[in-house]
């Protein structure tokens, strides 16, 4: 069974850093592009970042560019999101997502999410 | 950035009725559009991709149509378990963008 399990969320102060992890299982992790989508409390969905299967290609939403870094360790079947210079507006549930296919940008599997709260 | 606009914001209908959800794009593209269903406290679930193809295990009452700037998700006969928020998402251009969602309420 395919599974994505996020961890690393929590309460941090503005300006601090946090690293999210997503442990994947049940599929050939290195064959699929992955990403992160977030959802602020009571709001809609916002794509955050994406990485290719090999890890060599990355992309970011303008709202996080220069502050967040996506990476993956295919030997550990794990996706990461390093979040620096955190802002109050980064408060959200962060979902780890698997892209359905290399040439497609939709997401066929989602983790349950990890809550990140930025507050002083 | 391709802006996705969904309407209505809320749709209320009775079991067995037909529900039609709209998604409009600010730029034209072919069929790189997905629909997701999200229930409270849960992660979104992929319903439709490439505008009209049902994802694995999605019931046949869900169907998607459209192209260019106008897309539609139809639920042919509403069931109580269809109460949720539905989002469209375009993957024709970066950044990937979602609509604001339509909340479907079952009377």
């Amino acid at each position: 069974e395919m599974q994505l399990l996020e961890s690393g969320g929590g309460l941090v102060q503005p300006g601090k850093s946090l690293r999210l992890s997503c442990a994947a299982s049940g599929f050939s992790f290195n064959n699929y592009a992955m990403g992160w989508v977030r959802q602020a409390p009571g709001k809609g969905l916002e794509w955050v970042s994406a990485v290719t299967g090999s890890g060599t290609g990355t992309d970011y939403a303008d709202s996080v560019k220069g502050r967040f870094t996506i990476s993956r360790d295919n030997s550990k079947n794990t996706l990461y999101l390093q979040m620096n210079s955190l802002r109050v507006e980064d408060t959200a549930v962060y979902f780890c997502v698997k892209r359905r296919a290399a040439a497609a940008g939709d997401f066929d599997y989602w983790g349950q999410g990890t809550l990140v709260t930025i507050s002083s | 950035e391709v802006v996705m606009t969904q309407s209505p914001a809320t749709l209320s209908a009775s079991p067995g009725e037909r529900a039609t959800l709209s998604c409009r794009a600010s730029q034209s593209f072919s069929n790189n559009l997905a629909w997701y269903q999200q229930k409270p406290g849960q992660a979104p679930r992929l319903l439709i991709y490439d505008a009209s193809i049902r994802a694995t295990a999605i019931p046949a009452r869900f169907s998607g149509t459209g192209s260019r700037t106008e897309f539609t998700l139809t639920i042919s006969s509403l069931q109580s378990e269809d109460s949720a928020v539905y989002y469209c998402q375009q993957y024709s251009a970066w950044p990937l963008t979602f609509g604001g969602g339509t909340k479907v309420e079952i009377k």
Side-chain angles (χ1 to χ4, degrees), chain B residues 11-27:
Chain B
L11 184 158
S12 183
S14 299
E17 289 189 331
R18 184 184 195 90
T20 302
L21 287 64
S22 175
C23 176
R24 176 173 293 177
S26 63
Q27 301 174 27

Side-chain angles (χ1 to χ4, degrees), chain B residues 3-50:
Chain B
V3 177
M4 307 300 292
T5 303
Q6 291 188 241
S7 61
T10 304
L11 184 158
S12 183
S14 299
E17 289 189 331
R18 184 184 195 90
T20 302
L21 287 64
S22 175
C23 176
R24 176 173 293 177
S26 63
Q27 301 174 27
S28 179
F29 54 86
S30 179
N31 67 340
N32 300 130
L33 184 107
W35 289 94
Y36 301 87
Q37 176 193 66
Q38 187 180 32
K39 297 182 179 181
Q42 296 185 17
R45 176 174 70 149
L46 178 65
L47 296 176
I48 300 285
Y49 63 91
D50 290 350

Side-chain angles (χ1 to χ4, degrees), chain B residues 52-72:
Chain B
S52 63
I53 301 175
R54 274 191 304 276
T56 303
I58 300 303
R61 65 180 182 274
F62 292 94
S63 63
T65 58
S67 65
R68 295 182 174 270
T69 61
E70 300 285 343
F71 299 87
T72 300

